[in-house]
Amino acid sequence: MLLRVRVTLPDRPGALGQVARTLGVSGADIVQVVVLERLGGRAVDDFTVVWPGAARVERLLAGLAAIPGVRVDGVWRAIGAPTTTGQDAELLAHVAANPADGVATLVDAAPGLLAADWAVAAVVPLDWASRTGGGGATVAHASWRAPVPPPLPEVTPLRARSATAPDGTHYAVAPFGRAGLVLVVARGHTDPLVAAAFHATEVDRLAQLVRAGAVILGDRLDLVGAPAVTA
């Protein structure tokens, strides 16, 4: 299976090589490495690896934990092949080519781009600010793996952000900037795998996609309806 492994490690020569060697010895075949952050002598890296389905993930975690200065932030299943920012432009081209299904296209593609489990386009009511907890959001479109009904975090149409629910589900939320429409992407966990929270770079990527999509779709966003499904 395809796994995403997020580690925080010392930003010094040789540290990345130690992690890569440990992944290889544990049985993981590295197919992509993405540097999410380099700050204060530390780096946050995402490794996408092919992992033998019969192998125990505990062996991988133990090997990484044994490297001085390395912390495992999360290990979770990834959907599809590793993605790059070049695929963002391709996605937006699809949205522009078929704007009638633009929101659905963004929702369906978001989990694969961000190594998430599912996504929804939620409509936040105009009176959201006066509601306790910002509730009342309804689902306009859900990706194929979304639960029914999809559990949503407190969503507001103001800014992109990440959040974590009490059950450990991680969310990234980005507003379209009109019609109360918000894109919500979720990443859960399945024992013994524990997903990492959405990093700031992932939230920024989602926000950029949503902003670009909003520019392409324009007034069509005002026509996005919400069926009678309340989360």
Side-chain angles (χ1 to χ4, degrees):
M1 59 183 173
L2 203 63
L3 291 182
R4 185 67 59 88
V5 182
R6 180 169 299 172
V7 297
T8 297
L9 66 157
D11 188 13
R12 63 170 182 259
L16 181 60
Q18 283 184 288
V19 173
R21 284 192 297 273
T22 300
L23 289 170
V25 170
S26 300
D29 182 14
I30 301 173
V31 294
Q32 186 183 59
V33 182
V34 176
V35 179
L36 297 176
E37 176 184 308
R38 297 181 69 180
L39 183 67
R42 304 284 288 174
V44 180
D45 293 351
D46 267 4
F47 293 81
T48 302
V49 304
V50 176
W51 181 252
R56 294 178 63 86
V57 176
E58 290 85 350
R59 178 186 177 188
L60 173 64
L61 297 176
L64 292 173
I67 304 174
V70 170
R71 183 184 74 232
V72 179
D73 296 329
V75 179
W76 69 101
R77 296 192 68 163
I79 301 173
T83 61
T84 64
T85 53
Q87 290 174 286
D88 296 0
E90 184 178 355
L91 170 59
L92 293 172
H94 284 297
V95 172
N98 187 14
D101 294 326
V103 172
T105 299
L106 287 170
V107 170
D108 291 338
L113 292 177
L114 295 174
D117 295 322
W118 53 269
V120 301
V123 179
V124 179
L126 294 177
D127 61 346
W128 64 269
S130 63
R131 298 192 180 204
T132 302
T138 52
V139 176
H141 183 81
S143 67
W144 70 276
R145 295 187 66 186
V148 180
L152 296 180
E154 177 185 333
V155 292
T156 64
L158 294 180
R159 62 182 178 87
R161 62 182 179 86
S162 61
T164 299
D167 67 355
T169 301
H170 302 297
Y171 296 94
V173 182
F176 283 84
R178 63 190 301 165
L181 198 60
V182 179
L183 183 56
V184 181
V185 183
R187 180 186 290 159
H189 63 271
T190 304
D191 292 335
L193 305 181
V194 179
F198 286 93
H199 191 270
T201 57
E202 295 178 299
V203 177
D204 288 344
R205 183 182 185 186
L206 180 66
Q208 291 171 14
L209 274 172
V210 169
R211 285 196 298 267
V215 171
I216 294 171
L217 297 175
D219 293 341
R220 287 183 178 272
L221 293 177
D222 297 329
L223 304 178
V224 176
V229 178
T230 301

